[in-house]
Amino acid sequence: MPSSSASASSLFAIVPLDGGGATSRHAMDACYLCGKPLSRDFDVFMYRGDTPFCSEECRAVQIDTDEVRERINTKILKERAARNEQRRGVAASEPNITRAGNVPVAS
């Protein structure tokens, strides 16, 4: 049964995750970067399909930020892989030493 917030003709009842109080905002109400309210009278600049921006400048800043973050993450992953490879190389070059455990000795 649809909730009271859904219209009678609606197939699905859509309720905001935050309960739909006065503070809830639609995802397309403001620029993702600067928070400037978006108007239906002006262009909305989209990025990655669902992220709205008020201007090309805000979108460009976000694109640059994402590219820097991706380069840093790639660098970190490469450094981590190199360290792991180096550790494997050191472990392979160490001699195989077997330590004796508790061995019963007959007296």
Side-chain angles (χ1 to χ4, degrees), residues 31-80:
C31 176
Y32 180 79
L33 187 68
C34 70
K36 178 181 173 183
L38 299 175
S39 171
R40 296 181 195 264
D41 299 335
F42 295 99
D43 289 337
V44 175
F45 300 87
M46 301 299 290
Y47 173 57
R48 293 197 171 179
D50 60 353
T51 310
F53 295 91
C54 63
S55 65
E56 289 183 65
E57 292 80 19
C58 278
R59 183 178 62 183
V61 168
Q62 185 64 46
I63 290 170
D64 291 343
T65 302
D66 288 351
E67 288 174 354
V68 168
R69 184 177 297 127
E70 190 165 328
R71 281 195 302 265
I72 290 170
N73 287 340
T74 300
K75 182 180 177 184
I76 290 170
L77 290 174
K78 285 180 181 179
E79 289 171 354
R80 191 174 294 161

Side-chain angles (χ1 to χ4, degrees), residues 5 7 9 12 16 18 23 25 27 31 36-37 39 50 54 61-62 68 70 79 83 85 90 105-107:
S5 64
S7 68
S9 64
F12 298 103
D18 65 359
T23 60
R25 290 177 50 152
C31 176
K36 178 181 173 183
S39 171
D50 60 353
C54 63
V61 168
Q62 185 64 46
V68 168
E70 190 165 328
E79 289 171 354
R83 279 195 309 269
E85 187 64 32
V90 169
V105 178
S107 42

